[in-house]
């Protein structure tokens, strides 16, 4: 049975908060897979704040690149991945094989080893990015979100802290 949910929305839309609340209704253990990397003080503080908000019930695994293996290793229980667009940024900036990484992730979303909740940014609703890298990122994020949404059992779009079921 596919037990995967994708929360998709814009920046500060409330998608992470809603995804965490959904995860906490699931089975323990709770594993948070973080794709962010702390390259500056602001990001270090942001990560610490998010860890404190989750509390002691959560185990955090950092997986800025090797997302599929981290998901497999975290099962059983409930796994929350936040977020796919930061993971994609890491892949792109490191010149990794995006197609292979996306395929490995989509296979797990289609047949998750446990309950799997993913968070991703919808970046296609804004203006066309000015730079070639920005446009490439927007295009790759769109392809990633489409593939994950097609494989997920459930997809929720989040805006202004509210979600609507897309699937």
């Amino acid at each position: 049975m596919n037990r995967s949910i994708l929360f998709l929305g814009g920046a500060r839309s409330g998608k992470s908060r809603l995804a965490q609340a959904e995860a906490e209704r699931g089975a323990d253990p709770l594993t948070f897979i973080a794709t962010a990397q702390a390259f500056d003080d602001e990001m270090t503080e942001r990560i610490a704040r998010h860890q404190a908000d989750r509390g002691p019930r959560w185990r955090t695994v950092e997986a800025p690149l090797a997302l599929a293996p981290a998901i497999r290793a975290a099962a059983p229980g409930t796994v929350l991945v936040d977020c796919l667009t930061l993971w994609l940024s890491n892949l792109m900036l490191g010149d990794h094989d995006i197609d292979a990484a996306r395929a490995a992730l989509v296979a797990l979303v289609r047949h998750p080893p446990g309950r799997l909740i993913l968070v991703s940014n919808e970046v296609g609703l804004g203006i066309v990015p000015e730079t070639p890298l920005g446009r490439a990122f927007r295009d790759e994020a769109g392809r990633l979100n489409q593939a994950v949404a097609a494989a997920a059992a459930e997809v929720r779009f989040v805006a202004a802290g509210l979600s609507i079921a897309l699937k």
Side-chain angles (χ1 to χ4, degrees):
M1 169 192 240
N2 186 341
R3 299 177 299 163
S4 58
I5 305 171
L6 171 64
F7 283 83
L8 185 64
R12 311 282 1 129
S13 63
K15 62 193 175 299
S16 293
R17 180 182 52 78
L18 292 174
Q20 180 179 332
E22 178 67 33
E24 289 174 344
R25 287 192 285 273
D28 282 349
L30 296 175
T31 302
F32 183 90
I33 298 181
T35 61
Q37 298 179 82
F39 292 121
D40 57 36
D41 291 342
E42 185 271 335
M43 195 61 166
T44 299
E45 291 173 18
R46 182 182 291 253
I47 290 170
R49 187 174 57 251
H50 284 287
Q51 287 175 337
D53 288 346
R54 284 192 297 278
R57 197 172 157 205
W58 286 88
R59 177 175 70 107
T60 300
V61 173
E62 294 181 9
L65 295 170
L67 185 53
I71 292 169
R72 280 192 296 278
T78 301
V79 175
L80 171 57
V81 176
D82 197 352
C83 87
L84 296 182
T85 42
L86 282 174
W87 173 67
L88 176 63
S89 294
N90 298 336
L91 292 173
M92 289 181 72
L93 294 175
D95 202 26
H96 294 272
D97 185 343
I98 294 168
D99 292 336
R102 180 176 53 235
L105 175 63
V106 167
L108 281 172
V109 172
R110 191 171 284 118
H111 303 289
R115 188 160 185 249
L116 178 60
I117 300 170
L118 307 115
V119 175
S120 191
N121 287 290
E122 174 51 71
V123 298
L125 296 175
I127 62 171
V128 174
E130 185 175 323
T131 66
L133 178 59
R135 289 187 296 275
F137 174 76
R138 180 212 44 205
D139 294 348
E140 287 295 344
R143 284 189 276 277
L144 175 62
N145 286 341
Q146 287 182 52
V148 171
E154 189 176 335
V155 179
R156 297 183 191 171
F157 185 77
V158 181
L162 303 171
S163 74
I164 185 168
L166 299 179
K167 176 181 175 185

